[in-house]
Amino acid sequence: MRRRTLLLVSAFVLVPLVLLVSLGAVPGLIGGGDVYYVVASEVDLQDGEPPEANVTSTIAAENLSENRFPYTTGALEDGRSAAYEEGRFGFESAFTHTPFDEFSEFETWNRAATDPEADVVYLERNGTYYRLEITPASDVDGS
């Protein structure tokens, strides 16, 4: 009786634990979805505002953490971030950090510095202004 109870209790603890661990690993292994990059380009302000309709401000990028904003900081450093693969079934974003999460946070910080319809944000770092855009790999690679 004690053996069955112990077995039953361990099954109720171990099975969900193994399932949760595997769910964390599965999205990264599935792959095969659309690939996106964050692309940064320098821009000149026009009358103190970014040259984009509905965008009137910029976000200061000096204090962005590389751990919290890896796609944004990668794009600012190299002109293009590391690739983000959406996943074949689109559920990977529920388990991983995405460039869309970063842009959503920028929109929360300062809606006037973003154009959510076009996945665009304007940042300022060390006196230089940047337009960052989430771009499909086909547009970046020219394929």
Side-chain angles (χ1 to χ4, degrees):
M1 181 69 175
R2 288 179 82 189
R3 186 180 231 174
R4 283 187 187 168
T5 305
L6 183 60
L7 208 77
L8 195 60
V9 168
S10 10
F12 280 116
V13 172
L14 291 177
V15 169
L17 183 65
V18 168
L19 184 63
L20 288 173
V21 169
S22 67
L23 278 176
V26 167
L29 297 174
I30 290 175
D34 295 333
V35 177
Y36 294 93
Y37 293 98
V38 175
V39 177
S41 54
E42 287 187 30
V43 294
D44 294 323
L45 297 186
Q46 296 174 353
D47 299 324
E49 293 184 1
E52 181 108 16
N54 304 323
V55 181
T56 59
S57 182
T58 60
I59 295 173
E62 281 82 20
N63 297 321
L64 294 181
S65 163
E66 191 174 324
N67 291 331
R68 189 168 176 188
F69 297 97
Y71 296 102
T72 299
T73 55
L76 288 172
E77 294 299 319
D78 302 326
R80 182 175 87 175
S81 70
Y84 164 71
E85 192 169 354
E86 190 174 42
R88 195 164 291 172
F89 306 107
F91 71 92
E92 182 174 353
S93 62
F95 298 99
T96 61
H97 180 74
T98 72
F100 300 102
D101 294 335
E102 294 180 17
F103 278 50
S104 176
E105 190 161 344
F106 291 139
E107 184 181 357
T108 302
W109 287 358
N110 186 352
R111 183 176 293 260
T114 65
D115 183 357
E117 299 293 321
D119 290 322
V120 170
V121 65
Y122 282 86
L123 299 174
E124 185 268 328
R125 184 173 74 167
N126 300 328
T128 305
Y129 297 93
Y130 296 92
R131 179 184 191 272
L132 277 75
E133 180 177 16
I134 299 173
T135 309
S138 59
D139 292 349
V140 174
D141 298 333
S143 17

